[in-house]
Amino acid sequence: MREALRISKNEKKDVKLTIDGLVQHPVSLGYDELSQFSEPDQVEDVSRFAGKKQGDAVTLESLLRLVDPLPEANYLTLHAGKDDFHVSIPLAAVRSEGLLVYKIGDQPLGVNQGGPFRFLIKDFAACHSAELDDCANVKYLDRMELSQRKGLDTRPTTDEEHEALHKGE
Ligand SMILES: Nc1nc2c(c(=O)[nH]1)N[C@H]1C(S)=C(S)[C@@H](COP(=O)(O)O)O[C@H]1N2
Ligand SMILES: [Mo]
């Protein structure tokens, strides 16, 4: 039992997030790499910005510094393969607002919190009121893609669709 627990925790630490598309240096990062980001790039306790959302993060700025987007990269698309949910937002708008939540204490972010990786906008608007809305806080994130034009966006567009999505959670 104890052995099984240890293995499942380690497996979670091995999961990687890919950042690619219009960038100089595509990367694949996991818990260990993100934990090693320097102090100013780490953001402790995201509940300060977003009431119910929990965990610690690194800034989107620090991730962008690492991959170095090409000048024509205008959009950031957030992909969650797990439930086929995708959001595409203008890079300029989200640049200074975006966080990547990846841990709670010294453990990877649990799936019940949207982990192992969750995108979070510091100052997000109510659902469907703006590009940077709560719906864009993508859970189970596995890939961030930079592109020239707007990419895949499966956010609900009507109140009915939105309600149906939340019912399925
Ligand atoms: N992968 C994934 N991320 C998602 C969703 C989803 O269905 N799948 N729903 C979005 C919507 S519509 C909202 S309002 C928020 C809700 O975040 P919460 O569960 O932390 O309240 O997550 C967003 N992120
Ligand atoms: Mo939403």
Side-chain angles (χ1 to χ4, degrees):
M1 174 63 194
R2 182 162 282 185
E3 183 67 4
L5 206 68
R6 191 179 65 77
I7 289 168
S8 72
K9 277 186 178 166
N10 284 348
E11 272 172 6
K12 255 194 230 123
K13 285 195 174 174
D14 288 343
V15 181
K16 303 272 187 192
L17 168 78
T18 299
I19 310 175
D20 64 4
L22 294 181
V23 297
Q24 292 283 0
H25 311 289
V27 291
S28 240
L29 301 165
Y31 178 93
D32 290 333
E33 289 90 352
L34 292 166
S35 317
Q36 281 159 28
F37 276 38
S38 66
E39 199 50 49
D41 298 330
Q42 301 281 347
V43 177
E44 259 180 53
D45 186 13
V46 298
S47 70
R48 289 183 287 147
F49 310 108
K52 289 189 305 172
K53 276 114 177 149
Q54 288 176 26
D56 304 322
V58 294
T59 62
L60 174 62
E61 287 282 14
S62 64
L63 296 167
L64 293 173
R65 236 184 291 129
L66 204 64
V67 297
D68 199 3
L70 302 180
E72 60 270 32
N74 296 324
Y75 276 86
L76 178 71
T77 306
L78 308 160
H79 297 282
K82 182 180 157 71
D83 63 349
D84 203 13
F85 188 80
H86 313 264
V87 170
S88 193
I89 41 185
L91 183 59
V94 75
R95 238 194 145 106
S96 58
E97 281 292 314
L99 300 175
L100 176 69
V101 191
Y102 73 100
K103 72 178 181 83
I104 289 200
D106 62 355
Q107 289 300 317
L109 191 70
V111 80
N112 54 337
Q113 312 283 347
F117 306 110
R118 187 207 185 138
F119 195 77
L120 185 63
I121 296 160
K122 277 193 273 186
D123 185 14
F124 60 83
C127 296
H128 341 274
S129 66
E131 284 275 26
L132 303 190
D133 67 359
D134 194 8
C135 308
N137 290 324
V138 175
K139 305 182 247 192
Y140 334 121
L141 184 69
D142 48 35
R143 180 175 172 221
M144 295 171 58
E145 179 192 9
L146 289 122
S147 59
Q148 186 163 12
R149 305 221 199 112
K150 187 173 167 101
L152 193 55
D153 196 322
T154 62
R155 274 180 288 184
T157 52
T158 64
D159 287 347
E160 289 75 19
E161 274 176 34
H162 190 247
E163 210 174 299
L165 180 70
H166 280 278
K167 273 201 182 127
E169 274 175 355

